[in-house]
Each structure stands twice: as structure tokens, then as C-alpha cells.
Amino acid sequence: MKEMMKMDLRQYRYFCAVVEEQSVTRAAERLRMAQPALTQQIRKMEELLGVRLIERAGRGIRITASGERLYERAVSLLRYEAETRIEVSDIKEGRAGILRIGVNTLSAGRLTGWVQEMKRRYPRITLQIHQGESGVLIDRLKDHAIDVALVRLPIEAQGVTIEWMEEEPFYRVHHPEYADADVIIPSQEGLGVFQTLSQQFGVVSQETCSDVLILIGLVRCGQAVTLLPESTLRELDMTGLVQERLTDATSTTALVWLTEDGQSALTQQFLTIVNERE
């Protein structure tokens, strides 16, 4: 194995050509090199490996058992090298790779169309979608754990580029028989939606739940009243629940990414799709 490491891919290509042509002369013509030079390369490989790879058989050649095995390995190595070149090029050009998208708990609906178009154009990419509160997503963005994030404003904007997507109203959602149940805010204290509701609408509540499905379950059984943005309501089954629009409370969705770093080609492709569909 130590000796094998001294050979390079060029020599493997030479040897494969000899095996496939069953002739050093034809292999040299195919490779556009002098026959003596090719013969010398094959002999060097034999010296490195300590085995005979080809033998003369009349006017032709015969591939030895060791040569046959080397050929099998060489074909695999050359195929792997070619595939690697393609993959690396595709990642550079944004045709492949991993795109990591963060999405706020209350903003997941907007992502569906973008992802669908991204997968249609670049079917070989790998998507990783991370859901969480906006503040957490910003931290992950700055830690380079995600590439781009869909968040709810306000956020700590230092070091990130913000592209406003949509401003939308909030709705008060409750069970028709339990309109006076305790208010549970779909966020955590200090985060964007919490600030929006407390500052714009004056909501005072120490009860929070950032899992929207659990929150709606609490509303259905009369244990909670909650406040949700319009786009979130479109993504949920609100059958049987009362939805009252709040005229004084709005929320803004934004797409954010790091300002200081140049985006990967894959991230740029995603941002292009977002802008096209807005």
C-alpha cells in the first residue's frame, strides 16, 4: 500500500489505456504520446509494485492476474476522481451542496414555494431546514451554522443584511366559549414577536409557547387565547375557532444573512429565487 501511494492518476490512466486497447502501440496513439515513453511508465509501475502487470504473448500482450486487479482498482479510482471534480465544480457553481435555511416558528409557510422552486432548478442539492425563534436563528447565522434565515422583526441587526418580505396584521384567536381564557404569547420574552405584541398592542402576559401546534391545541380546549400573524393562520386548521383582526398590531417578516461574508453560490441561487417570487 505504501508503494501504491507513489503512483499518480496519470499513470493509472496510462495503464487503463493499455488494458483497454490490448496494445501498447494503440494505447500510445490514443494517449497521443510516444510508445517508448508509455512503455517506460508501465515498467516504472511494475517496479513500484514489485509485480508484472503485462507480459508479451506472441505479437500482442497479456494482462497478468495482478494487472487485472490493478485495472479494476484504477477504473474505480479514475471514476471517483472524475465524479469528485464534477461535484466540486457543481458546489462552486451552486448546482449542488448543502443549503441550510433557518425559519422562525411563525414564518414556515412562506418557505414552501421557495424550497419547491429551488429543488426544481437544482435537484441535486441537499436542503437542511432549521426551525426556531428569531433570536436563536440570528445566533446560529452568526455562528455559521445556517446560511440564511427567515425571521420576525425586530431582531439584533448588527452584522446581518435584512431584506423585508411582508408586513401583516395579527389576529386574536380563541375558542368561541372561552374568549376570556388567559393569553399565551407565541414567542419568548425578549424576542421579536413578544416585543411586537407587548409594545404595539400592550399585551401583558408571562405565559408563552413557541410551539404553534401545541398552542392551537390549548386554544381548542379552552385553556388559552393567543395572538397570531395572518400568514400563520393560513397554514393551520382554524376550524371552529374565532379569529379577530387586531388593527393596531402588525409584524414584519424578513430574510437575513451575514453581511461580512460572501455568500456561497448556492445561497445566492436561493436569494435569486426569493426575489423572483416576491
Side-chain angles (χ1 to χ4, degrees):
M1 186 65 180
K2 182 178 179 181
E3 297 295 334
M4 289 281 285
M5 297 300 291
K6 294 182 179 180
M7 293 190 297
D8 58 33
L9 291 175
R10 176 175 52 90
Q11 291 173 304
Y12 288 126
R13 291 192 183 94
Y14 292 163
F15 181 68
C16 286
V18 171
V19 174
E20 290 161 6
E21 296 295 338
Q22 289 294 300
S23 165
V24 177
T25 300
R26 290 194 296 270
E29 292 174 353
R30 168 176 155 183
L31 295 168
R32 298 182 179 179
M33 63 186 299
Q35 180 178 330
L38 179 56
T39 300
Q40 184 180 13
Q41 288 294 331
I42 299 302
R43 287 176 180 171
K44 184 180 294 186
M45 294 176 70
E46 291 178 328
E47 291 173 4
L48 288 171
L49 294 171
V51 299
R52 293 296 300 273
L53 298 174
I54 62 174
E55 295 176 341
R56 290 197 174 276
R59 294 185 177 181
I61 62 171
R62 183 182 69 84
I63 309 302
T64 67
S66 295
E68 292 287 357
R69 177 53 60 89
L70 178 64
Y71 174 73
E72 294 174 3
R73 297 290 188 179
V75 168
S76 297
L77 284 170
L78 293 173
R79 182 183 300 117
Y80 184 77
E81 185 265 349
E83 291 172 351
T84 301
R85 284 177 178 270
I86 293 172
E87 289 175 2
V88 170
S89 176
D90 284 347
I91 291 172
K92 178 183 177 182
E93 299 300 326
R95 295 186 295 266
I98 299 175
L99 178 62
R100 303 161 302 172
I101 306 172
V103 58
N104 179 268
T105 310
L106 300 180
S107 305
R110 297 180 58 80
L111 189 60
T112 305
W114 300 339
V115 167
Q116 183 179 19
E117 181 63 17
M118 194 73 182
K119 292 292 286 184
R120 186 189 70 80
R121 295 188 192 182
Y122 312 104
R124 291 187 292 113
I125 68 170
T126 299
L127 283 169
Q128 295 180 353
I129 299 175
H130 306 262
Q131 191 172 48
E133 289 285 346
S134 295
V136 174
L137 293 177
I138 294 298
D139 289 340
R140 298 197 70 182
L141 190 66
K142 293 181 178 180
D143 289 339
H144 301 276
I146 57 177
D147 302 303
V148 62
L150 186 63
V151 301
R152 292 274 171 177
L153 302 181
I155 59 170
E156 171 53 54
Q158 186 175 2
V160 301
T161 298
I162 300 175
E163 182 170 323
W164 275 258
M165 294 283 105
E166 177 184 27
E167 185 174 13
E168 57 184 322
F170 270 87
Y171 284 75
R172 187 175 190 271
V173 183
H174 61 85
H175 188 287
E177 297 180 8
Y178 299 96
D180 296 328
D182 293 336
V183 174
I184 298 182
I185 295 178
S187 180
Q188 297 177 13
E189 186 173 1
L191 299 181
V193 171
F194 190 97
Q195 292 183 39
T196 296
L197 294 174
S198 60
Q199 294 174 7
Q200 291 191 29
F201 194 63
V203 175
V204 178
S205 176
Q206 294 183 333
E207 295 190 280
T208 63
C209 178
S210 57
D211 189 307
V212 179
L213 294 180
I214 292 177
L215 184 53
I216 291 299
L218 292 173
V219 173
R220 286 195 179 283
C221 65
Q223 295 300 307
V225 170
T226 193
L227 306 166
L228 293 171
E230 187 174 54
S231 61
T232 301
L233 299 181
R234 293 197 296 263
E235 301 299 321
L236 300 172
D237 179 12
M238 306 303 293
T239 305
L241 299 180
V242 178
Q243 304 170 51
E244 301 171 341
R245 179 167 176 164
L246 306 178
T247 58
D248 297 328
T250 60
S251 177
T252 301
T253 303
L255 198 66
V256 297
W257 58 91
L258 288 179
T259 302
E260 61 185 26
D261 293 343
Q263 286 72 50
S264 68
L266 203 54
T267 302
Q268 292 174 6
Q269 306 281 28
F270 179 72
L271 295 175
T272 297
I273 287 174
V274 170
N275 289 325
E276 288 175 354
R277 296 178 68 90
E278 285 304 306

